[in-house]
Amino acid sequence: MGALGKSKGVRKVSSSPSKIPSQARVVIIGGGVIGCSIAYHLAKLGWTDVVLLERSQLTSGTTWHAAGLLTTLRDTETQTKLAKYTQDLYRRLEAETGQATGLIGCGSIQLAMSADKAQEMRRGVNLAASFGVEAHEISPAEVQRLWPLADVSDLVTAFHFPNDARVNPTDVTQALAKGARAGGVRIFEHTKVTAILRRGDRVSGVSTDQGDIHAEIVVNCAGMWAREVGRMAGVNVPLQAAEHYYLISEAVAEVHPLLPILRDPGNGAYIREEAGKIMLGLFEPVARPWGQTGIPEDFSFGDIPPDWDRMAPHIEKAMRRVPRLFDTGIKLLFCGPESFTPDHNYLMGEAPNLRNFFVAAGFNSLGILSGGGAGFVMAHWIAEGRAPMDVWSVNLRRTHAWQDNDRYLHDRITEALGIGYQDHWPFRQWETARGVKKSILHDRVAAAGACFGESAGWERPNWYANPGQDPHYQYSWGRQNWFENNAQEHHAVRKTVGLFEQTSFGKLLIQGRDAVKVLNYLSTANVDVATGRCVYTQFLNKDAGIEADLTVTRLSSDRFWVVTAAFTLTHVESWIRNHIQPSDFCVVTDITDAYSMLNIQGPNSRSLLQSLSTDDLSNEAFAYGAAREIRLGYQTVLAIRLSYAGELGWELYVPTCFVLPVYDAIVAAGKDYGLRHCGYHTLNSLRMEKGYRDWSHDVGPDDSPLQAGLAFTVAWDKAGGFLGREALIAQRQLGLPRRRLVQFLLNDSESLLYHNEPIFRDGERTGLVTSAMYGHTLGASVALGYVSHEDGVSDEYVLAGNYEIALASGRVSATPSLTALYDPKGLRLRS
């Protein structure tokens, strides 16, 4: 977080071995805190044949000027866990290695200047407590006591994190490097990587200006050079460096090292003591990218000439928190580059298109506070084949090839730098770098009133404005301006018929003699079904965690149609490709852009579609789960009878060149059937009432079908088995799972849930809400969340408890359910 108060002259130079080896098990590229942490943690796992290469000196890129803040409450569960581990590691690192880390347990205070920020922070504190992070809400007067020079007149409240701390980034990195060396890691400074070696679809080593090193595994920890290193390997690493500022004042008599770190999001700044002075770090809302034409070859321990004119308004605004600064000289305005990512989440994990090539970069100015956790996760990922915790939000495989675009990264990073210090509203949308991908129906649905959100670059209708209503978000923690629109769309699907434009869904065509063999090995369900059948299934990892949640439709004996969410496409495609054996005849083709998708849902869907088709769409002729081509107007489309809404309905996959007339025909005919355009928010409220799972929220790599209530998809005894079967059987043999996904309905019709709210059973914390939405049919907020118990979670245990869910304003009682709260027998979707 921010840049650090270490003068440029303070550099620690460590000796390197004289000659690089020609062979190593692992090569790590980059000697910042992340690379050194991975090396340290690999050594702890007993991996001694590890080489770390640094183009200049350790810490010389970004690490040396980082702020060294260890503030544990982050924006996401994953980042909070990484920060918590990091703080615990740094506290013991000096005693272990003998190398000072400069850790000061000063604590931190986050300030709230508005009621909305106070509500956001109260929610965050509730979440933090689930991970053992101590935090307390304190009054402005208490802030004044802890930070006497602070102006608290504009504060609503504040939050104190007494165990937060700060470190010296250079020292902590040297400590990690020393610990790595003690475990056998060899570190070579002044060694530049010039090429990535590969053999087929696997990495095989690196070329350097000192010679080649052949290796089983290569890890790209090159910081703001990581995109360049990725390109050497043909791997997309979408990040961009940007100017990042901090100011250091002249000496101020009243400040001391134990002053808590002040985080002041309302002014886009953090404030802390620095050697008797005050450091003021800035996160301006519109940042300036840097180095787009290339980072200078000799850039080492470098900085950028500060732009005083551009930064003056931000400096003045931030100084208001400590008015003494207006009367104190400025010793330094420092500008150093740091790399940021398009969604403000890290880039970690194995590349989707190059086996054994790992990335850990793009830490969005949070590298020091997450460095220990990132090193732990990456080392286990490398050694064991999967991460030791669910890190999908930072997984490199969430990214897409189109994001490696200079203009896109430039425009998005102007917003990404400051996003962490802004309000994190529910349903908040990115404002920059929009319009990357638009379906051919974009203008049609825009004319119908669509308010667009963005997912995987796609512009998608999230909700539809009524005539005369502005289709834009007005954010709040209460009912936002589209709440009634959502209700109207929701009721239309339940009572008449709704049209969802879902072209963004990822679509893969799996073909070849061994296509059924490949897919059946990956799927929990048996996909060796008759032609024209669609199967809902999961893909599992070796430990029975859910890597994908999708549908597989058999088109013919050797052709399958796989549909997954837009944001998971890279991951799912890579998962399938990586499990095709050399002897398998199986081809994977991404056909997402070749087909549009219209989803017609609701009790009138059959009558509407039947009015346009000569094919028989009756229940007897076209059962639930069936798939076939039907004539619709002048066109022929692939129709699959499925529902994520819990109603009668069809997904229509239409070749892009045909979709405009198909859409027009449906809309025209729909006037007689009560058709209404519906957005993704409505799809979410509908699926929540049915208790349908959403991958990456409700289920993920750490959740098994037994825990997630998805055992009905498992074909336990199918020929050939499936990946993860043995681990899943072992779980079943242990008896009741220790955690189970449960549906909840709030017993208060006004309160709203979003996600990550703590769940209490009989007054004891038992889990977190994984996803939630207001259920307009049920008349209250609906949630999914895990209930945990060491002795196992039986039906009786779940239903016997008294439940509360923690909101910012306090706990609200909730009713649990192990069957769908809406239409539990599924009669409507099979009607």
Side-chain angles (χ1 to χ4, degrees):
M1 162 153 320
L4 170 73
K6 266 293 171 192
S7 72
K8 288 178 60 180
V10 179
R11 304 178 192 170
K12 298 199 174 183
V13 180
S14 54
S15 60
S16 297
S18 58
K19 185 178 180 181
I20 65 169
S22 60
Q23 189 87 23
R25 190 176 188 184
V26 181
V27 170
I28 299 170
I29 304 170
V33 67
I34 303 300
C36 290
S37 181
I38 294 173
Y40 168 88
H41 284 92
L42 281 173
K44 289 295 183 184
L45 293 176
W47 284 45
T48 58
D49 188 12
V50 177
V51 168
L52 186 148
L53 305 176
E54 164 54 45
R55 60 184 292 278
S56 179
Q57 293 174 227
L58 297 185
T59 79
S60 63
T62 294
T63 296
W64 73 276
H65 64 74
L69 310 187
L70 301 181
T71 51
T72 39
L73 176 61
R74 310 313 315 159
D75 299 338
T76 68
E77 178 181 343
T78 296
Q79 290 182 7
T80 299
K81 288 180 177 178
L82 295 182
K84 178 68 164 56
Y85 175 90
T86 298
Q87 187 180 111
D88 294 342
L89 171 66
Y90 292 174
R91 289 186 183 279
R92 64 178 187 269
L93 197 57
E94 182 172 341
E96 176 191 331
T97 66
Q99 165 68 51
T101 60
L103 190 143
I104 299 173
C106 56
S108 76
I109 301 171
Q110 181 148 337
L111 310 177
M113 294 170 58
S114 68
D116 285 325
K117 178 56 74 172
Q119 183 165 353
E120 177 189 324
M121 281 301 301
R122 289 181 185 120
R123 288 173 49 85
V125 167
N126 285 341
L127 173 65
S130 299
F131 308 119
V133 176
E134 183 181 354
H136 310 282
E137 185 167 353
I138 60 176
S139 67
E142 186 68 6
V143 175
Q144 185 84 73
R145 186 186 70 80
L146 293 170
W147 239 99
L149 294 180
D151 177 7
V152 301
S153 62
D154 59 352
L155 297 183
V156 172
T157 190
F159 301 85
H160 184 214
F161 298 82
N163 296 321
D164 282 354
R166 41 185 271 222
V167 293
N168 181 308
T170 298
D171 288 346
V172 82
T173 304
Q174 293 290 352
L176 289 166
K178 186 174 182 181
R181 289 191 185 96
V185 174
R186 290 167 288 176
I187 297 176
F188 295 86
E189 298 181 297
H190 304 290
T191 305
K192 182 180 179 181
V193 172
T194 58
I196 304 297
L197 306 177
R198 54 188 299 166
R199 184 178 297 111
D201 65 349
R202 291 180 177 271
V203 74
S204 61
V206 301
S207 292
T208 79
D209 55 6
Q210 308 293 321
D212 291 354
I213 305 177
H214 297 282
E216 297 175 22
I217 295 165
V218 174
V219 191
N220 177 3
C221 304
M224 57 188 169
W225 290 272
R227 187 176 174 215
E228 176 186 339
V229 172
R231 284 179 167 177
M232 294 179 190
V235 172
N236 174 47
V237 185
L239 55 76
Q240 173 61 49
E243 295 181 0
H244 198 28
Y245 284 85
Y246 67 80
L247 173 153
I248 295 181
S249 73
E250 296 289 355
V252 178
E254 294 93 330
V255 301
H256 56 82
L258 291 179
L259 277 176
I261 301 158
L262 283 184
R263 299 185 71 224
D264 190 5
N267 291 315
Y270 64 84
I271 302 165
R272 73 163 178 82
E273 183 270 351
E274 170 62 23
K277 309 171 185 66
I278 291 177
M279 173 189 284
L280 184 71
L282 301 168
F283 284 83
E284 68 272 26
V286 181
R288 177 180 288 172
W290 178 83
Q292 279 212 300
T293 58
I295 299 172
E297 183 66 26
D298 61 351
F299 196 83
S300 176
F301 297 102
D303 59 2
I304 304 167
D307 186 337
W308 283 90
D309 291 338
R310 185 173 80 83
M311 297 306 296
H314 305 293
I315 294 171
E316 182 177 354
K317 182 180 180 182
M319 279 183 170
R320 295 172 191 163
R321 183 59 59 209
V322 184
R324 176 70 63 83
L325 288 170
F326 288 111
D327 302 317
T328 304
I330 296 175
K331 183 177 181 66
L332 174 69
L333 179 62
F334 179 86
C335 178
E338 299 199 34
S339 57
F340 294 83
T341 64
D343 63 359
H344 203 257
N345 278 327
Y346 317 149
L347 301 173
M348 294 170 56
E350 187 180 17
N353 59 331
L354 185 60
R355 302 300 299 271
N356 288 351
F357 183 84
F358 287 81
V359 175
F363 280 83
N364 300 289
S365 196
L366 304 175
I368 298 299
L369 69 84
S370 292
F376 172 83
V377 167
M378 289 297 300
H380 283 269
W381 206 335
I382 291 164
E384 298 161 11
R386 62 177 294 249
M389 55 183 276
D390 185 354
V391 291
W392 171 253
S393 65
V394 299
N395 194 319
L396 179 67
R397 296 187 180 195
R398 77 186 187 279
T399 65
H400 302 263
W402 58 264
Q403 290 179 301
D404 190 20
N405 176 285
D406 292 343
R407 185 170 180 180
Y408 168 81
L409 289 171
H410 173 280
D411 292 351
R412 175 55 65 84
I413 265 57
T414 62
E415 182 181 5
L417 180 145
I419 201 77
Y421 274 68
Q422 297 177 19
D423 288 307
H424 302 122
W425 303 111
F427 310 104
R428 189 176 195 262
Q429 303 295 318
W430 289 94
E431 297 178 0
T432 55
R434 294 290 298 270
V436 174
K437 301 184 78 173
K438 296 180 179 180
S439 84
I440 197 171
L441 292 168
H442 181 89
D443 291 346
R444 291 284 208 280
V445 295
C451 179
F452 294 97
E454 181 253 334
S455 178
W458 286 95
E459 294 294 320
R460 312 194 310 178
N462 276 350
W463 59 276
Y464 285 84
N466 292 319
Q469 182 183 10
D470 186 17
H472 290 93
Y473 283 92
Q474 295 174 14
Y475 298 119
S476 77
W477 285 97
R479 296 184 174 187
Q480 297 185 9
N481 63 314
W482 50 268
F483 184 86
E484 288 304 322
N485 303 71
N486 177 213
Q488 293 162 10
E489 296 171 22
H490 184 107
H491 291 312
V493 175
R494 292 283 186 243
K495 296 176 181 179
T496 56
V497 60
L499 180 154
F500 298 86
E501 195 281 295
Q502 293 182 258
T503 297
S504 63
F505 266 51
K507 310 167 209 56
L508 298 171
L509 188 62
I510 317 299
Q511 304 177 90
R513 179 191 64 228
D514 296 311
V516 66
K517 170 190 167 187
V518 169
L519 288 174
N520 228 16
Y521 173 68
L522 295 178
S523 302
T524 55
N526 187 357
V527 301
D528 190 4
V529 293
T531 296
R533 294 300 301 171
C534 178
V535 178
Y536 170 55
T537 188
Q538 286 77 48
F539 291 170
L540 306 185
N541 54 45
K542 63 181 177 63
D543 298 317
I546 300 172
E547 292 287 346
D549 181 79
L550 39 73
T551 60
V552 177
T553 300
R554 191 165 202 167
L555 302 179
S556 68
S557 62
D558 61 354
R559 287 193 308 135
F560 291 81
W561 182 277
V562 174
V563 176
T564 187
F567 71 95
T568 65
L569 179 61
T570 300
H571 174 59
V572 170
E573 181 178 4
S574 175
W575 191 262
I576 296 172
R577 290 185 184 278
N578 288 347
H579 288 91
I580 297 174
Q581 301 303 313
S583 59
D584 290 334
F585 190 83
C586 182
V587 178
V588 181
T589 307
D590 178 5
I591 56 171
T592 300
D593 299 338
Y595 286 82
S596 298
M597 199 266 264
L598 295 172
N599 194 356
I600 312 300
Q601 296 287 319
N604 290 351
S605 59
R606 177 182 286 120
S607 300
L608 168 57
L609 294 177
Q610 191 69 79
S611 73
L612 298 169
S613 179
T614 57
D615 292 277
D616 187 354
L617 303 182
S618 68
N619 202 38
E620 295 73 23
F622 206 134
Y624 185 75
R628 69 184 60 142
E629 288 189 339
I630 65 170
R631 288 155 290 188
L632 207 64
Y634 297 139
Q635 290 74 34
T636 300
V637 307
L638 174 64
I640 304 178
R641 190 175 162 192
L642 289 176
S643 180
Y644 196 50
E647 300 291 343
L648 172 69
W650 280 262
E651 295 177 355
L652 305 178
Y653 294 91
V654 190
T656 299
C657 60
F658 292 136
V659 75
L660 286 173
V662 168
Y663 168 87
D664 290 342
I666 292 173
V667 171
K671 295 176 182 178
D672 296 332
Y673 298 94
L675 180 71
R676 187 181 180 101
H677 284 78
C678 300
Y680 276 83
H681 291 336
T682 294
L683 193 64
N684 194 31
S685 65
L686 293 164
R687 72 99 181 172
M688 286 304 310
E689 291 189 331
K690 281 292 292 179
Y692 288 152
R693 281 59 169 152
D694 182 34
W695 193 84
S696 88
H697 288 102
D698 309 310
V699 297
D702 284 354
D703 309 307
S704 80
L706 296 175
Q707 298 165 334
L710 294 172
F712 68 89
T713 72
V714 179
W716 296 94
D717 299 320
K718 68 177 176 178
F722 55 87
L723 178 61
R725 178 178 179 270
E726 289 73 20
L728 196 60
I729 289 174
Q731 286 187 21
R732 185 175 63 172
Q733 292 173 341
L734 288 174
L736 293 170
R738 294 184 178 181
R739 56 194 296 270
R740 285 179 66 181
L741 192 63
V742 177
Q743 191 180 25
F744 293 94
L745 180 68
L746 280 191
N747 297 324
D748 169 21
S749 63
E750 296 300 315
S751 297
L752 299 180
L753 297 174
Y754 300 106
H755 68 97
N756 278 345
E757 294 91 351
I759 302 168
F760 291 83
R761 182 188 183 275
D762 294 342
E764 298 293 327
R765 192 181 299 264
T766 189
L768 292 172
V769 167
T770 54
S771 61
M773 196 74 172
Y774 196 88
H776 295 283
T777 308
L778 299 174
S781 287
V782 188
L784 287 169
Y786 284 91
V787 171
S788 302
H789 185 54
E790 288 187 2
D791 295 330
V793 183
S794 65
D795 292 3
E796 294 76 17
Y797 180 85
V798 170
L799 299 177
N802 292 313
Y803 292 89
E804 295 175 307
I805 298 178
L807 282 66
S809 57
R811 300 181 191 176
V812 178
S813 66
T815 301
S817 180
L818 292 170
T819 58
L821 288 166
Y822 176 79
D823 187 26
K825 294 184 179 180
L827 300 179
R828 294 177 67 87
L829 56 85
R830 290 179 171 83
S831 60

